Amino acid sequence: MLSDKTVELLNGQINLEFYSSNLYLQMSAWAAYKGLEGTATFLRDHAAEELGHMHRLFDYLLESDAMPEIGSIDAPPTDFGSVKEMFQQILQHEQHVTARINELVDAAFSQKDFSTFNFLQWYVAEQREEEHLFKSILDMLEMIGTEGQGLFLFDQQLTQMAARRQAGGSSAADEAAPAESA
Ligand code: FEO
């Protein structure tokens, strides 16, 4: 049986994963509006992944005889400045999510709730992977640049990354490595 505090924290995380999904979906709309179709597809797929993260928490609460509660979710911003600023904002957001997961892990451990502690290990690994993924994308953006054809080439790279993710055959590190241009 989960403590009230753990239920509250897990429901808070459900809210944050929902927000993450809405944030990336809004970023996808911004990218599509700017003509960056590869970036838009990559972010839209990532928005769907965040819903998967939310559902895992939702199911864990139900399996633990606790009730998931969907609270109100803040509206995301609609303007992200530039592509580089947008990916910087994503990395900062993921670092915030990591901090929240760490708080949850700490709370579970200090309550000797080893079931929740064990459940959360998937999120610990996932956050490490996501931070690495977005740091790698920022590195790639730095290398390619956004001047001249840079933005076009960057968007092509994200088209290829989105395709590899959809095929499900590569790790985050592989996805972030610049692929051969056609
Ligand atoms: Fe659900 Fe991107 O962390």
Side-chain angles (χ1 to χ4, degrees):
M1 172 135 180
L2 302 180
S3 72
D4 289 348
K5 180 182 177 183
T6 298
V7 172
E8 186 184 328
L9 287 172
L10 290 172
N11 273 321
Q13 194 64 32
I14 282 180
N15 193 288
L16 184 56
E17 301 290 351
F18 254 128
Y19 177 78
S20 301
S21 182
N22 288 347
L23 176 64
Y24 298 151
L25 191 60
Q26 187 64 63
M27 287 174 164
S28 162
W30 182 86
Y33 188 68
K34 301 275 180 192
L36 299 165
E37 293 302 330
T39 306
T41 300
F42 175 85
L43 289 167
R44 191 167 177 143
D45 289 350
H46 210 79
E49 270 190 41
E50 297 295 348
L51 283 183
H53 299 175
M54 183 278 296
H55 278 124
R56 263 178 191 264
L57 290 150
F58 188 94
D59 290 341
Y60 179 73
L61 281 164
L62 286 176
E63 285 163 11
S64 306
D65 291 326
M67 178 137 116
E69 288 183 19
I70 314 294
S72 57
I73 300 158
D74 291 341
T78 53
D79 187 9
F80 304 99
S82 67
V83 171
K84 185 175 177 181
E85 285 172 274
M86 180 174 72
F87 278 98
Q88 285 170 336
Q89 288 167 41
I90 293 176
L91 180 57
Q92 283 169 6
H93 180 70
E94 288 299 335
Q95 287 166 339
H96 170 64
V97 174
T98 300
R100 291 281 294 271
I101 291 291
N102 288 344
E103 283 170 24
L104 262 166
V105 170
D106 186 51
F109 191 76
S110 55
Q111 292 176 76
K112 294 189 168 49
D113 178 353
F114 298 118
S115 172
T116 301
F117 180 82
N118 186 50
F119 165 74
L120 290 169
Q121 297 314 302
W122 184 89
Y123 287 87
V124 171
E126 181 69 10
Q127 283 311 120
R128 184 179 62 240
E129 189 174 291
E130 294 218 346
E131 282 195 34
H132 176 65
L133 172 64
F134 289 113
K135 274 183 197 144
S136 302
I137 289 174
L138 277 167
D139 286 345
M140 184 169 67
L141 196 47
E142 201 63 46
M143 275 189 284
I144 297 176
T146 54
E147 302 299 315
Q149 290 192 324
L151 204 50
F152 174 73
L153 293 172
F154 173 77
D155 195 56
Q156 275 194 329
Q157 292 291 335
L158 283 211
T159 299
Q160 292 174 26
M161 283 173 65
R164 287 201 295 275
R165 284 175 80 89
Q166 285 168 3
S170 61
S171 70
D174 292 337
E175 287 158 14
E180 299 288 325
S181 291

